[in-house]
Amino acid sequence: QVQLVESGGGLVQAGESLRLTCAPSGSIYSINGMGWFRQSPGKQRELVATITYSGATHYADSVKGRFTISRDTAKNTVYLQLNNLKPDDTAVYYCTFKSDYPEPTDYWGQGTQVTVSS
């Protein structure tokens, strides 16, 4: 079964940057959207950013102007550039793909930890 593999998390200080990467372990066809969510201890998983296969983006208000989502359609890879990180950004970040083939399916990664110290 194809899985999504995230990388790029780590421990940084407030104001610093990270770049997260997510790619599938195998082939996924008919991807119509990609996204990043995050979850902090004791909180529900929340949307961070999404991007359609055509490139339209959407961001949570809390990250607008600081985070940028992008994708490489040739590699079926999605990225999340995190700039000016804040302690409140500390969370496990998960990527997700939406595919329509052979049936509607949501793929999820295992998560990568981002920790921001003050």
Side-chain angles (χ1 to χ4, degrees), residues 7 12 20 30 32 38 40 48-49 54 56 60 65 80 83 91-92 101-103 106 111 118:
S7 61
V12 297
L20 307 183
S30 191
N32 56 42
R38 67 185 181 187
S40 305
V48 176
S54 61
L80 187 66
N83 294 333
V92 177
Y101 181 86
E103 59 188 11
D106 289 341
S118 56

Side-chain angles (χ1 to χ4, degrees), residues 32-79:
N32 56 42
M34 303 169 173
W36 291 92
F37 286 71
R38 67 185 181 187
Q39 188 167 19
S40 305
K43 295 185 178 180
Q44 290 188 332
R45 190 173 296 190
E46 63 175 358
L47 173 71
V48 176
T50 60
I51 186 167
T52 66
Y53 214 65
S54 61
T57 58
H58 171 78
Y59 296 93
D61 288 343
S62 60
V63 307
K64 281 181 182 177
R66 299 188 299 121
F67 292 7
T68 302
I69 189 171
S70 60
R71 84 276 184 264
D72 183 332
T73 55
K75 297 180 180 179
N76 272 353
T77 299
V78 64
Y79 308 95

Side-chain angles (χ1 to χ4, degrees), residues 1-5 23-29 31 75-77 97 107:
Q1 185 175 358
V2 177
Q3 295 181 335
L4 301 183
V5 180
S25 60
S27 297
I28 300 178
Y29 302 98
I31 298 170
K75 297 180 180 179
N76 272 353
T77 299
F97 285 15
Y107 295 86

